[in-house]
Amino acid sequence: ETGVTQTPRHLVMGMTNKKSLKCEQHLGHNAMYWYKQSAKKPLELMFVYSLEERVENNSVPSRFSPECPNSSHLFLHLHTLQPEDSALYLCASSPSRGALYGYTFGSGTRLTVV
Amino acid sequence: GQQVMQIPQYQHVQEGEDFTTYCNSSTTLSNIQWYKQRPGGHPVFLIQLVKSGEVKKQKRLTFQFGEAKKNSSLHITATQTTDVGTYFCAAVFTGNQFYFGTGTSLTVIP
């Protein structure tokens, strides 16, 4: 256990489905992140939340919608995804926003869009 | 955007051989972090380097930050099968911009 828990571990969804990814951290961190990891590509930062406020959105398509109801929970709502959205989605947290500290990653959700 | 080049992309070594991966930037970095991701796993934070010329060791792993703070390396002495995985650098630029390198995938042949 890393202190950052992601569910589900695996998800297969059709292009017309709506699903949500969940992330929960038990570390008392104030910043949380969503990353996308595709084969042969660097980790791509999608969203940053600091103290429950979205502070960064890296030109992510609107079919991905984040939600941070409190500093311990982060969701990624998915709808009308495309096959190229298939990837490993990683949640991470850090004590504060930025890179003064290492990030703690969850185990990820392996998403397959069919 | 900022670019972080990491080489090599892949490395196969015999068990017991050494391994090095390099991370290079054209711009001076504030600091640099290193992560390891086992096959099927998630990135795990290894270390952060902040000072120019800094060298840190963790058992068989040696991390270096260049004098100009534009490059960094991770060296593993006498690799073991447990070292298998992808090693990522994460470069931090001025203004807290944070970018992961493409990673070096290490295979250790028993």
Side-chain angles (χ1 to χ4, degrees):
Chain A
E1 285 296 329
T2 69
V4 178
T5 304
Q6 287 187 246
T7 54
R9 292 294 304 272
H10 301 273
L11 178 63
V12 179
M13 59 186 290
M15 289 190 283
T16 58
N17 291 160
K18 289 186 180 180
K19 296 286 183 183
S20 294
L21 310 185
K22 180 183 176 182
C23 177
E24 183 175 0
Q25 58 100 358
H26 310 277
L27 302 168
H29 289 172
N30 290 321
M32 296 185 76
Y33 312 83
W34 279 116
Y35 276 88
K36 176 183 179 182
Q37 187 173 39
S38 305
K40 300 181 181 179
K41 285 187 176 181
L43 282 156
E44 300 173 59
L45 178 64
M46 300 176 72
F47 300 104
V48 180
Y49 276 83
S50 177
L51 296 171
E52 303 155 40
E53 179 185 349
R54 190 194 309 183
V55 294
E56 199 165 333
N57 174 349
N58 280 359
S59 302
V60 179
S62 59
R63 56 186 184 269
F64 295 91
S65 174
E67 179 190 2
C68 187
N70 55 63
S71 59
S72 298
H73 294 85
L74 186 64
F75 294 90
L76 188 62
H77 303 299
L78 316 172
H79 64 97
T80 59
L81 293 192
Q82 305 298 312
E84 61 264 29
D85 297 322
S86 298
L88 179 66
Y89 288 84
L90 291 159
C91 173
S93 72
S94 62
S96 60
R97 180 196 171 195
L100 292 179
Y101 311 94
Y103 288 7
T104 302
F105 283 86
S107 299
T109 295
R110 174 68 62 185
L111 173 67
T112 304
V113 181
V114 297
Chain B
Q2 306 286 6
Q3 286 197 349
V4 180
M5 303 299 296
Q6 195 172 348
I7 55 171
Q9 190 174 359
Y10 302 98
Q11 184 81 62
H12 291 69
V13 299
Q14 288 289 142
E15 188 172 16
E17 291 182 340
D18 292 356
F19 160 78
T20 305
T21 174
Y22 301 90
C23 189
N24 299 301
S25 168
S26 58
T27 310
T28 302
L29 304 173
S30 293
N31 54 299
I32 194 159
Q33 300 176 0
W34 285 93
Y35 292 77
K36 176 184 178 181
Q37 184 172 18
R38 295 182 184 274
H42 56 276
V44 175
F45 174 73
L46 295 177
I47 209 159
Q48 175 164 268
L49 304 172
V50 179
K51 299 177 183 176
S52 167
E54 189 170 14
V55 178
K56 288 188 177 180
K57 292 190 175 185
Q58 289 180 351
K59 297 183 180 179
R60 294 178 295 102
L61 277 60
T62 301
F63 304 84
Q64 289 191 306
F65 203 7
E67 293 288 342
K69 298 183 71 174
K70 289 185 177 181
N71 54 67
S72 180
S73 65
L74 158 59
H75 179 83
I76 302 178
T77 303
T79 55
Q80 300 175 359
T81 54
T82 52
D83 296 324
V84 165
T86 301
Y87 292 85
F88 294 95
C89 64
V92 184
F93 296 88
T94 306
N96 245 346
Q97 298 178 67
F98 186 67
Y99 294 91
F100 280 89
T102 49
T104 295
S105 176
L106 172 64
T107 300
V108 179
I109 304 164

